[in-house]
Amino acid sequence: MKSTAENISIQIPARVCLFGDHQDYLKLPVIAAAINRYITLTAQSISEPYFKIQLPDIHQKRSIDLQHTIDELPPNDYFLSGIKWFQEQGVVFQQGYQITISSDIPINAGLSSSSALVVAWIRFLLLIQNKISRPSDLEIGKIAHQVEVSHFNQPGGIMDQYTISQGGMLYINTTTRDCTFLPKSLNHLVIAESGIEKKTLQVLLKAKTYALEAAQQVQKKHPNFDLLQSSVSDYGKYKDLVSQKLQPYWYATIHNYSITLKAKTILQKAPMNQQQIGKLINQHQDILQSCIQNTPIEMQHQIQSALRAGALGAKTVGSGGGGCIVALATQKTKNNVIQAFLDAGSKNAYPIEIV
């Protein structure tokens, strides 16, 4: 991030979820990483009291009058939501800027382009005000979650904003909101853009609702049951208390939590065993596909093609229903995995690094 009062340049990474999809809204942990795909925001001061925003990637322009007080927020208007948060802290923006925002993060594909945009916007607004002391990266993640999720009463958790604001690979305790940095030892990761539009809110709302209902059915009979203290044996132990419709989500909740804890242990070891991590990624994907049902048949085909080409593991990214796939390959198989994705119908495929 570079800035003067007149000229500002900010670059914010995308994120990939490796373990814990559909877990953070249950206050269970996740493992996610910032990756080298970016939102870039540049701004130059102007004499008029407006934020004049150009979005060349989607061929849109926007002008925001700084003399206007924001009372109501249009749905998903993160620009106004960000400004409103600062206004609530007593910040008054007077200096206008010509702003350009571009990105090489695929939109609506599971790599959190929207959260990267929100974090970039918050960092920009922080730079041009002098009332609020510069917050930590973690605090910026908290602000971003309020701006993107809380202001609109959306069902998402904290993973996206906390990962993108801090960078690296993180184990996020979504109950305490503590973050543990893990060694950036995963190499030869590949992203495939499936070409299928992601259905974030539909998949997320159903999965969240059903998983919470399943846990509530167990807690109705056993009030002291705590998901954070659960183990794989608890699935069978309490299965009969959960309605038939909710049992796949009960299975996913218990087993994905176990997988995430195992992955954390392996990722903290030196040297880290990539074969074991690949197996856990595949186990996670099997649950997402069979229980959460978030993987369209076309993406299942793309995943299987990557595995046949030598990927150690492959899974959907984010809420699912479309979007991207992340695969763990080796130096020897990485190019073959990329080609396998393309041959299987992926819109694009490329190597990524944790940043």
Side-chain angles (χ1 to χ4, degrees):
M1 182 167 59
K2 300 177 181 179
S3 71
T4 65
E6 295 80 22
N7 296 286
I8 294 172
S9 179
I10 298 170
Q11 193 175 57
I12 302 296
R15 77 94 186 92
V16 62
C17 180
L18 297 167
F19 296 97
D21 293 279
H22 294 283
Q23 296 273 282
D24 56 349
Y25 49 70
L26 299 171
K27 297 187 177 181
L28 294 175
V30 298
I31 296 174
I35 60 172
N36 58 337
R37 305 289 283 194
Y38 298 99
I39 285 267
T40 301
L41 183 154
T42 59
Q44 295 79 40
S45 60
I46 58 176
S47 59
E48 303 162 275
Y50 291 90
F51 289 154
K52 296 184 176 182
I53 305 169
Q54 296 192 48
L55 305 165
D57 298 332
I58 56 175
H59 310 291
Q60 291 184 9
K61 295 182 179 181
R62 178 83 180 271
S63 183
I64 299 174
D65 185 350
L66 300 184
Q67 297 176 338
H68 173 66
T69 299
I70 301 167
D71 296 317
E72 294 186 8
L73 292 172
N76 302 325
D77 191 330
Y78 303 132
F79 293 117
L80 291 186
S81 178
I83 295 171
K84 182 176 174 61
W85 185 90
F86 280 87
Q87 288 180 346
E88 290 169 348
Q89 316 311 309
V91 174
V92 176
F93 296 108
Q94 296 177 327
Q95 174 64 58
Y97 282 86
Q98 180 72 49
I99 303 160
T100 301
I101 302 174
S102 59
S103 174
D104 64 0
I105 306 172
I107 297 173
N108 195 31
L111 298 185
S112 289
S113 59
S114 63
S115 296
L117 172 64
V118 171
V119 172
W121 186 240
I122 289 168
R123 288 194 181 277
F124 164 69
L125 295 176
L126 282 167
L127 284 172
I128 64 171
Q129 58 82 45
N130 55 17
K131 183 178 179 64
I132 301 173
S133 299
R134 187 69 56 84
S136 68
D137 291 337
L138 175 58
E139 290 167 337
I140 288 174
K142 294 177 180 179
I143 296 169
H145 184 263
Q146 292 178 47
V147 167
E148 183 179 2
V149 178
S150 301
H151 275 185
F152 299 101
N153 295 315
Q154 292 185 353
I158 65 174
M159 169 178 60
D160 299 351
Q161 300 82 14
Y162 278 42
T163 304
I164 289 169
S165 67
Q166 297 181 90
M169 181 161 61
L170 296 173
Y171 174 88
I172 303 175
N173 182 326
T174 62
T175 299
T176 64
R177 303 201 168 193
D178 292 333
C179 300
T180 302
F181 283 90
L182 301 173
K184 294 184 289 187
S185 51
L186 273 185
N187 299 313
H188 314 304
L189 291 168
V190 170
I191 287 291
E193 299 174 21
S194 70
I196 302 169
E197 185 174 332
K198 188 165 63 73
K199 302 175 179 63
T200 302
L201 291 182
Q202 299 95 311
V203 174
L204 189 58
L205 187 58
K206 179 180 177 182
K208 178 180 181 178
T209 300
Y210 285 2
L212 289 173
E213 286 181 6
Q216 288 166 1
Q217 288 181 358
V218 172
Q219 289 167 336
K220 186 176 180 179
K221 293 288 186 180
H222 298 274
N224 294 325
F225 175 77
D226 184 357
L227 278 176
L228 285 170
Q229 304 301 320
S230 66
S231 63
V232 168
S233 63
D234 287 326
Y235 166 71
K237 181 177 180 180
Y238 298 115
K239 179 181 176 182
D240 292 341
L241 301 178
V242 178
S243 65
Q244 192 69 31
K245 181 178 75 171
L246 302 181
Q247 283 189 11
Y249 296 88
W250 174 242
Y251 182 95
T253 297
I254 295 296
H255 285 80
N256 277 338
Y257 178 36
S258 174
I259 288 169
T260 301
L261 295 180
K262 289 177 183 177
K264 179 191 178 187
T265 299
I266 296 169
L267 288 167
Q268 288 178 316
K269 291 181 179 178
M272 187 268 300
N273 190 317
Q274 299 227 139
Q275 296 277 352
Q276 291 180 344
I277 289 296
K279 289 180 181 178
L280 290 176
I281 288 173
N282 289 333
Q283 290 174 22
H284 190 20
Q285 171 57 29
D286 287 344
I287 293 171
L288 295 174
Q289 183 173 311
S290 61
C291 297
I292 305 292
Q293 298 181 357
N294 78 337
T295 312
I297 188 68
E298 298 91 342
M299 293 181 72
Q300 295 178 33
H301 175 58
Q302 292 170 20
I303 287 171
Q304 290 303 314
S305 295
L307 294 174
R308 288 194 296 269
L312 301 176
K315 62 176 284 292
T316 57
V317 177
S319 58
C324 286
I325 299 164
V326 61
L328 176 61
T330 66
Q331 178 64 45
K332 183 178 180 179
T333 65
K334 180 170 60 179
N335 290 336
N336 291 339
V337 169
I338 290 172
Q339 190 60 51
F341 274 127
L342 296 172
D343 291 344
S346 295
K347 179 182 176 182
N348 199 5
Y350 40 82
I352 57 167
E353 296 177 1
I354 297 173
V355 296

